[in-house]
Amino acid sequence: MRDAAPQGTYKVQALDRAFAVLDLLGESETPLGLAQVAASLQLHKSTAHRFLMVLERHRMVERTANGKFRLGLRLFDFGNRAIEQYDLRDRAQPHLRRLVAETEETAHLALLEAARVIYIDKIEPTRSVRMITRIGASNPVHCTSVGKAILAFLPPERASEILKRVRFERMTTRTIATPEALRAELEKTRRRGYAVDDEELEEGLRCIAVPVLDAQRLPVAAVSVSGPSFRVTAQKLPTIANHLLQCVRGISMDMGYVPAGRGARTALSA
Amino acid sequence: MRDAAPQGTYKVQALDRAFAVLDLLGESETPLGLAQVAASLQLHKSTAHRFLMVLERHRMVERTANGKFRLGLRLFDFGNRAIEQYDLRDRAQPHLRRLVAETEETAHLALLEAARVIYIDKIEPTRSVRMITRIGASNPVHCTSVGKAILAFLPPERASEILKRVRFERMTTRTIATPEALRAELEKTRRRGYAVDDEELEEGLRCIAVPVLDAQRLPVAAVSVSGPSFRVTAQKLPTIANHLLQCVRGISMDMGYVPAGRGARTALSA
DNA sequence: ACGCGCGTCCCATCATGTGAGAACCTAGGA
DNA sequence: TCCTAGGTTCTCACATGATGGGACGCGCGT
């Protein structure tokens, strides 16, 4: 096969193809027909058809009224089982709600995975423009407050391991573009106690984040507050950060974290 | 292969096996080791290993610190893409929030799939015992208020098509057990305008639901309010139903539904 | 030390999935 | 009306790709 198949050594053609189908359907805004799928993936019609049928049997895809294919709800089921195992999300929700009530801005809960952050929950204030983020979506670490918050408080060796894998894509003019700059920023984050994303991911969007710690006092996630730069002003940052810290302390303690004794320096010390 | 492979005509062994692996990991509370997976699925160690590696490459599974496997976050991503296509959930959230504030009980948003309902969102009142339901989980139609709400207002032919596939599992002593009883109940639901589940799914749990209609005035989902029977009393039902109706009208209109003209009888008429 | 369970890896074998083709259907456009 | 495009369902010969036996090495408990 002339398949792109990068470095991954183990291969099961059928699986790669099946996931390619799911990927395709996931990317596409609109449901796709058999022919489109076959063409996009360079599969023979009959091959693509077989895959689609099997996927449908497993309810990984389903058909719309006009016979086109889209992702199936089984995936939704799986997805929820997947995060259930970190039951962070359920525990965090009430705290996030309070945070949103206090700040009147959108709050996100995100996990670190490889060199990206994945948003696992989002709470929006009642009256606010809908933010574009999608639960389940991901962004690079280097241009998000949550990414920086987690990275800053990870043990140095794990942090640099991740740093090595960052590709420093440029999202806006302010996006951090070099490893050195990022390291400096992380140091700043540590001193300040919270991470800031000042329009580094998206013009006009400012975010501030603090890590959630587990029983080992290691960051497992982060919570951020995001809003338009004109509302989330530099003056307000400390206030918001305070709310954030309280929120995150609550979540962390729900997760089994015990505050450090006197003198110990951790992400959540006052 | 002596694989259980039921009636499904199209087959791709590798895919069936891969999904069996995911299923297994999804069912299991705790991460599993290679040997456990191989044993449970009657696969050769090396076969299971290959699958796991490929799945890991696709981030459909991931490994814990001690090398065991669990579902990966990619599934979470896929799952969220899957429901995104019905963007019902996002639109519904604010309405559900209001509903929960008004009733002080848990609200669910559910879709119909085959002869089951899938919960796609859940909002709980701030101070309440956590309900056991999991977003993404599913239940049979015949013993849930959401199921009955949707079924009752579906066009007769689609409804009976689904009715045929109901297996009438008995969940409690009050669970509806025959097609006739269910048909009668649906008729009652239509007249009343809302569906009730009176401890038919779970002892001590009472729910009430109303369908969400789309632009074609067809039910695409349902919203329910659930709570312990001692709080959700018969007297309160009409009040709750009113809140529900208002909520669902809001969601339906957000989805492009236009209220019926005078005289027309639909699920959402006063 | 040894044995055991577990994960990893290699490789000869052949069952499996593959893709070409062809027939048939349906809906929609010219 | 015919014609085209897309989808569904066959069959079949082939070789590729998945399979599982088995070997290796590690860490652990005894």
Side-chain angles (χ1 to χ4, degrees):
Chain A
M1 281 306 89
R2 146 272 0 276
D3 191 271
Q7 61 288 40
T9 135
Y10 291 91
K11 206 172 151 195
V12 176
Q13 191 198 50
L15 274 191
D16 287 337
R17 288 176 163 186
F19 290 132
V21 170
L22 293 181
D23 257 331
L24 183 66
L25 293 179
E27 295 300 340
S28 152
E29 297 296 318
T30 125
L32 300 177
L34 169 62
Q36 294 167 290
V37 174
S40 309
L41 270 52
Q42 320 230 52
L43 293 180
H44 195 273
K45 233 186 3 168
S46 94
T47 306
H49 185 248
R50 188 165 359 102
F51 273 103
L52 260 342
M53 297 315 270
V54 175
L55 288 172
E56 190 188 19
R57 177 154 50 77
H58 287 277
R59 300 190 3 245
M60 308 301 275
V61 309
E62 58 186 41
R63 325 194 58 162
T64 59
N66 55 36
K68 302 204 177 287
F69 298 88
R70 68 166 161 210
L71 294 183
L73 288 174
R74 192 70 195 296
L75 284 169
F76 185 59
D77 183 9
F78 271 126
N80 285 95
R81 285 172 195 269
I83 33 158
E84 196 187 31
Q85 316 194 7
Y86 327 62
D87 56 359
L88 185 56
R89 186 205 223 185
D90 278 349
R91 297 187 199 235
Q93 269 213 2
H95 300 279
L96 294 178
R97 289 259 168 70
R98 189 157 35 80
L99 178 63
V100 171
E102 291 164 349
T103 60
E104 286 281 309
E105 298 292 352
T106 303
H108 286 269
L109 175 66
L111 287 180
L112 182 69
E113 214 231 3
R116 302 180 70 82
V117 288
I118 299 194
Y119 298 101
I120 65 172
D121 210 355
K122 164 178 77 163
I123 310 270
E124 309 189 290
T126 32
R127 45 168 184 283
S128 131
V129 270
R130 287 255 291 282
M131 282 189 60
I132 18 51
T133 41
R134 179 173 60 75
I135 294 183
S138 67
N139 272 324
V141 258
H142 71 287
C143 54
T144 56
S145 58
V146 277
K148 294 192 280 186
I150 298 179
L151 226 43
F153 295 99
L154 233 33
E157 64 282 7
R158 290 220 19 226
S160 37
E161 201 174 295
I162 292 163
L163 270 177
K164 269 184 275 174
R165 306 171 59 182
V166 177
R167 295 226 319 286
F168 292 97
E169 295 166 67
R170 177 153 232 129
M171 319 296 281
T172 73
T173 52
R174 313 177 94 127
T175 306
I176 294 179
T178 68
E180 298 73 44
L182 183 50
R183 280 181 195 279
E185 171 78 9
L186 292 180
E187 182 49 37
K188 208 158 133 196
T189 301
R190 270 186 292 271
R191 267 181 289 130
R192 187 166 46 195
Y194 56 87
V196 174
D197 151 21
D198 186 12
E199 315 201 352
E200 295 157 37
L201 172 64
E202 207 183 308
E203 302 286 356
L205 183 70
R206 199 171 281 151
C207 312
I208 150 171
V210 174
V212 175
L213 307 187
D214 65 7
Q216 284 80 249
R217 302 222 167 86
L218 290 178
V220 288
V223 175
S224 70
V225 169
S226 324
S229 307
F230 64 85
R231 279 213 306 262
V232 181
T233 57
Q235 297 90 314
K236 284 201 201 154
L237 287 190
T239 325
I240 300 181
N242 260 341
H243 289 305
L244 251 180
L245 272 168
Q246 262 191 281
C247 167
V248 156
R249 248 182 239 130
I251 301 174
S252 298
M253 292 177 67
D254 277 9
M255 298 291 295
Y257 160 86
V258 258
R262 51 182 58 256
R265 225 182 47 125
T266 75
L268 299 189
S269 21
Chain B
M1 283 304 90
R2 145 274 359 273
D3 193 272
Q7 60 288 41
T9 136
Y10 290 91
K11 206 173 148 193
V12 175
Q13 194 198 50
L15 271 191
D16 288 337
R17 289 177 163 185
F19 290 132
V21 170
L22 292 181
D23 256 329
L24 183 68
L25 294 179
E27 295 299 341
S28 154
E29 298 296 317
T30 126
L32 300 176
L34 168 61
Q36 297 167 311
V37 173
S40 310
L41 268 48
Q42 319 229 51
L43 292 180
H44 194 273
K45 243 188 349 172
S46 86
T47 308
H49 183 247
R50 185 162 6 96
F51 275 104
L52 259 341
M53 297 314 273
V54 175
L55 288 172
E56 189 188 19
R57 179 155 47 81
H58 287 276
R59 299 191 1 245
M60 308 302 273
V61 309
E62 57 185 42
R63 325 193 60 162
T64 59
N66 54 36
K68 301 203 177 286
F69 297 89
R70 68 169 163 208
L71 295 183
L73 287 174
R74 192 71 196 293
L75 284 168
F76 185 60
D77 183 11
F78 270 127
N80 285 92
R81 285 171 194 267
I83 34 157
E84 195 188 31
Q85 317 194 7
Y86 328 63
D87 58 357
L88 186 54
R89 185 204 224 184
D90 277 349
R91 298 187 199 236
Q93 269 213 1
H95 301 279
L96 294 178
R97 291 256 168 72
R98 189 156 33 81
L99 179 63
V100 171
E102 290 163 350
T103 60
E104 285 283 308
E105 297 292 353
T106 303
H108 285 270
L109 174 66
L111 287 180
L112 182 69
E113 214 233 3
R116 301 180 70 82
V117 288
I118 300 195
Y119 299 101
I120 64 170
D121 210 354
K122 165 177 78 162
I123 309 269
E124 309 189 291
T126 31
R127 43 165 184 285
S128 132
V129 270
R130 288 255 292 280
M131 283 189 61
I132 19 51
T133 43
R134 181 174 58 74
I135 295 185
S138 67
N139 272 323
V141 258
H142 71 288
C143 53
T144 56
S145 58
V146 277
K148 295 193 279 187
I150 298 179
L151 226 43
F153 295 99
L154 233 31
E157 63 282 6
R158 290 221 17 227
S160 36
E161 201 174 296
I162 291 162
L163 270 177
K164 268 183 279 177
R165 305 170 60 180
V166 177
R167 295 227 320 284
F168 292 98
E169 294 166 70
R170 178 154 232 128
M171 317 297 281
T172 74
T173 52
R174 314 177 93 127
T175 306
I176 294 178
T178 69
E180 298 73 43
L182 183 50
R183 282 181 194 280
E185 171 79 9
L186 293 180
E187 181 50 36
K188 208 156 130 197
T189 301
R190 271 185 291 271
R191 266 181 290 130
R192 189 166 42 196
Y194 57 88
V196 174
D197 151 20
D198 185 13
E199 313 201 351
E200 296 158 37
L201 172 64
E202 207 182 308
E203 303 285 356
L205 182 70
R206 200 171 279 151
C207 313
I208 152 172
V210 174
V212 176
L213 306 186
D214 64 8
Q216 285 78 247
R217 303 222 165 84
L218 289 177
V220 289
V223 175
S224 70
V225 169
S226 324
S229 307
F230 64 84
R231 279 212 308 259
V232 181
T233 59
Q235 298 89 311
K236 282 200 202 154
L237 288 191
T239 324
I240 299 181
N242 260 342
H243 288 307
L244 251 180
L245 272 169
Q246 261 190 283
C247 166
V248 156
R249 247 183 240 129
I251 301 174
S252 298
M253 293 177 64
D254 276 8
M255 298 290 294
Y257 160 87
V258 257
R262 50 183 57 258
R265 224 182 47 124
T266 74
L268 299 189
S269 21

